[in-house]
Amino acid sequence: MILLNSPRTRHRRFGVAAAAAGLMAALLTAVPASATPDPGDAPAAGQEVSRSAGADVSAAIASGEIPGQDEIVHSDNIEHLTNIAKDALPGFNSDLAFQGKYAFAGNYDGFRIFDISNPKAPRTVAQVLCPGSQNDISVSGNLLFLSTDSSRSDSSCNSTTQPATEKSSWEGMKVFDISDKTNPKYVAAVETACGSHTHTLVPERRNVYVYVQSYSPNAAYPDCQPPHDGISVIKVPRNAPEKAAVVGFPVLFPGEGPDGGGNPGSPTNPGVSKTTGCHDITVLPDQDLAAGACMGDGILFSIKDPEHPKVLDQVQDNVNFAFWHSATFNQKANKVVFTDELGGGGAATCNATVGPDRGADGIYDIVGKGDKRKLVFRAYYKIPRHQADTENCVAHNGSLIPVKGKDIMVQAWYQGGVSVWDFTDSTKPKEIAYFERGPISTDTLSVGGSWSAYYYNGYIYSNDIAKGFDVLKLSDRRTDPAKRVRLNELNVQTQPDYFD
């Protein structure tokens, strides 16, 4: 293990209480994004912890049980190549997408495009100011897709915040032309029910289908009425993206009554989110298969007809899962890793009090064939390094590392850092590498850390909420074969067949 700036080592015993050149502002606005947090991704303002908790954090740093404030530590098979700090976009950094030599980084205030042809020295080629909450991001061909999940005065990038109770308010999907990476152009906007917290692309030759995930309806919101137990499907013609439009709202959780189907949540299932939509969906286009992480439910469904997805199986975990957040298939499509975002991304859950089975990954095998396939739980995985009471930490976004015959992924854990872990044996997952920083603060629970950590063409790229864009190099005989796999494009939620 390499420890930078300090000879400290890590121990599991610590457990605190739970709790650039070429810059361009392509589109301007005078008002920063002001998103209302939702359960599932709820970046919170800093909260001062108790005096005793703060003292525990300071003592743990002094004894070497956790890294020092902002100190970088990592396993000896990971090298930290560089960090690019935030620049023109001051909001939280969010998700990542890749195409050729470019990385596209979402930010609550817009998005940034990096030239990563030299991973040791990424170069910013564009920054686009376009406030809209977390600005979940994807790319396909010459098109870039951006989610807006905060109520805005209109669909422009000059919009201001406006209450969701007003009918004129706008939330949904934005589409940009990125044929010139240095000058993205805003070409379309599509309003969707309850906005777009995240989205997933199902690309075809002539069209791109966009599955829009959103949730938390309210009878007081004209454009976000209950029940909201499905997803919006947008069809975007590649040659005429300005004609993008919603073509359906397939219901994934049919049920009687004003709330529809899905997990009823509390008080029936205390501590579990009520299902009122999906948080994230991952598709395997080559397999016509998808997995949905839908608040209180995990689902497996067929996308043979992309406009009319068909649910194959639905599972719940009312003991250890609070919020089904995201999903990742293995390469053989016989497993799904679901994440539980306990605490909404703003809580300290990587400690002894919460334990190893909550705020963790759930590994499910897919058994059976065709429409009779079922999800069967096998094990939980959580990072083996306890974090401080001032560090938001929980399972978040990750991707496969493509190694034939192995199931290995890299994953973001907010201030828990980046974890590389092997789930080839579904019942015995294990960490094989990590990278993290020490707490942002020793007396305040401050939101930060890696939002997304993805493997792309030989390197790991991490978008840190507060610290910026990190590039890591993983050197390990178990993962080195992945360096031979090259992709032209990667949206992690549109999972490729890496070996086709």
Side-chain angles (χ1 to χ4, degrees):
M1 177 178 65
I2 294 174
L3 300 177
L4 303 187
N5 304 322
S6 171
R8 296 186 178 95
T9 56
R10 301 301 309 277
H11 304 284
R12 280 216 49 150
R13 68 178 182 270
F14 176 62
V16 296
L23 298 186
M24 176 199 70
L27 300 163
L28 300 177
T29 176
V31 180
S34 180
T36 300
D38 286 319
D41 276 312
Q47 290 180 276
E48 189 172 350
V49 299
S50 68
R51 186 173 298 178
S52 62
D56 287 345
V57 174
S58 296
I61 291 173
S63 67
E65 295 178 26
I66 64 172
Q69 188 171 354
D70 289 331
E71 178 189 3
I72 290 176
V73 298
H74 52 83
S75 53
D76 59 8
N77 52 358
I78 278 186
E79 179 184 359
H80 185 212
L81 296 184
T82 192
N83 169 265
I84 307 298
K86 288 193 286 189
D87 187 72
L89 306 176
F92 289 159
N93 283 332
S94 58
D95 211 7
L96 295 168
F98 305 89
Q99 186 181 86
K101 66 178 184 178
Y102 297 100
F104 303 82
N107 178 286
Y108 271 51
D109 286 326
F111 63 93
R112 188 173 182 177
I113 303 177
F114 293 98
D115 181 334
I116 55 171
S117 52
N118 179 3
K120 293 182 179 180
R123 180 174 60 88
T124 301
V125 297
Q127 295 190 69
V128 176
L129 194 57
C130 193
S133 188
Q134 68 182 50
N135 278 330
D136 196 46
I137 193 167
S138 297
V139 294
S140 184
N142 288 329
L143 301 178
L144 180 147
F145 302 85
L146 206 63
S147 287
T148 298
D149 191 37
S150 62
S151 186
R152 312 296 298 178
S153 58
D154 55 57
S155 63
S156 77
C157 287
N158 296 309
S159 67
T160 58
T161 59
Q162 182 168 291
T165 52
E166 296 188 23
K167 177 62 180 173
S168 63
S169 295
W170 186 92
E171 298 180 62
M173 288 298 308
K174 294 169 181 167
V175 185
F176 292 78
D177 183 323
I178 53 167
S179 51
D180 179 357
K181 302 296 187 296
T182 68
N183 188 26
K185 296 185 182 299
Y186 187 8
V187 295
V190 181
E191 186 170 16
T192 55
C194 301
S196 176
H197 191 67
T198 65
H199 68 269
T200 303
L201 304 187
V202 184
E204 295 186 337
R205 187 172 181 179
R206 295 184 178 179
N207 305 296
V208 180
Y209 286 97
V210 185
Y211 288 170
V212 177
Q213 290 89 235
S214 55
Y215 48 92
S216 295
N218 189 308
Y221 300 163
D223 298 319
C224 185
Q225 293 284 300
H228 183 76
D229 46 14
I231 57 174
S232 296
V233 179
I234 299 174
K235 184 178 181 179
V236 185
R238 291 188 184 275
N239 294 330
E242 69 278 2
K243 295 181 180 179
V246 174
V247 294
F249 187 86
V251 174
L252 302 178
F253 301 97
E256 300 296 329
D259 296 324
N263 199 317
S266 298
T268 303
N269 297 315
V272 177
S273 294
K274 178 181 178 179
T275 298
T276 59
C278 289
H279 180 277
D280 218 337
I281 290 172
T282 293
V283 298
L284 277 175
D286 290 346
Q287 301 279 344
D288 291 328
L289 198 62
C294 303
M295 304 181 72
D297 294 86
I299 59 173
L300 184 72
F301 56 100
S302 167
I303 56 169
K304 286 182 181 179
D305 180 351
E307 292 188 26
H308 303 93
K310 176 184 178 181
V311 175
L312 304 177
D313 196 23
Q314 176 181 350
V315 292
Q316 297 178 355
D317 179 346
N318 294 318
V319 175
N320 289 316
F321 260 47
F323 188 93
W324 295 67
H325 176 275
S326 52
T328 303
F329 288 98
N330 69 335
Q331 179 59 33
K332 291 183 179 179
N334 60 8
K335 298 178 188 178
V336 182
V337 173
F338 289 104
T339 67
D340 170 30
E341 198 186 44
L342 173 69
T349 74
C350 297
N351 51 47
T353 304
V354 174
D357 296 339
R358 300 177 64 229
D361 297 313
I363 304 165
Y364 285 75
D365 284 352
I366 301 173
V367 300
K369 296 182 179 180
D371 288 354
K372 295 187 181 298
R373 283 172 285 189
K374 300 290 184 182
L375 294 164
V376 179
F377 173 76
R378 297 302 187 200
Y380 297 108
Y381 169 76
K382 194 170 184 179
I383 56 172
R385 297 171 312 287
H386 290 154
Q387 306 296 307
D389 203 27
T390 58
E391 293 180 281
N392 63 306
C393 175
V394 75
H396 212 234
N397 295 344
S399 77
L400 283 188
I401 296 179
V403 179
K404 277 192 175 182
K406 297 288 185 181
D407 297 325
I408 301 174
M409 69 179 290
V410 58
Q411 185 176 8
W413 288 78
Y414 291 115
Q415 285 194 70
V418 175
S419 177
V420 179
W421 59 287
D422 187 324
F423 61 105
T424 306
D425 182 341
S426 300
T427 66
K428 296 179 180 179
K430 59 183 179 181
E431 183 173 78
I432 61 176
Y434 73 88
F435 166 89
E436 69 166 291
R437 290 180 170 91
I440 293 174
S441 171
T442 59
D443 56 16
T444 301
L445 174 55
S446 302
V447 172
S450 179
W451 179 291
S452 297
Y454 299 146
Y455 186 92
Y456 177 69
N457 291 352
Y459 296 88
I460 293 170
Y461 298 90
S462 168
N463 213 18
D464 188 291
I465 291 172
K467 300 298 183 181
F469 184 69
D470 288 303
V471 185
L472 310 175
K473 184 178 180 180
L474 176 64
S475 299
D476 190 292
R477 59 180 177 77
R478 293 165 290 190
T479 59
D480 285 347
K483 296 176 182 179
R484 297 193 290 268
V485 178
R486 311 298 290 183
L487 300 177
N488 294 321
E489 192 171 272
L490 177 64
N491 300 295
V492 168
Q493 288 74 36
T494 306
Q495 201 168 307
D497 182 345
Y498 288 94
F499 304 109
D500 184 8

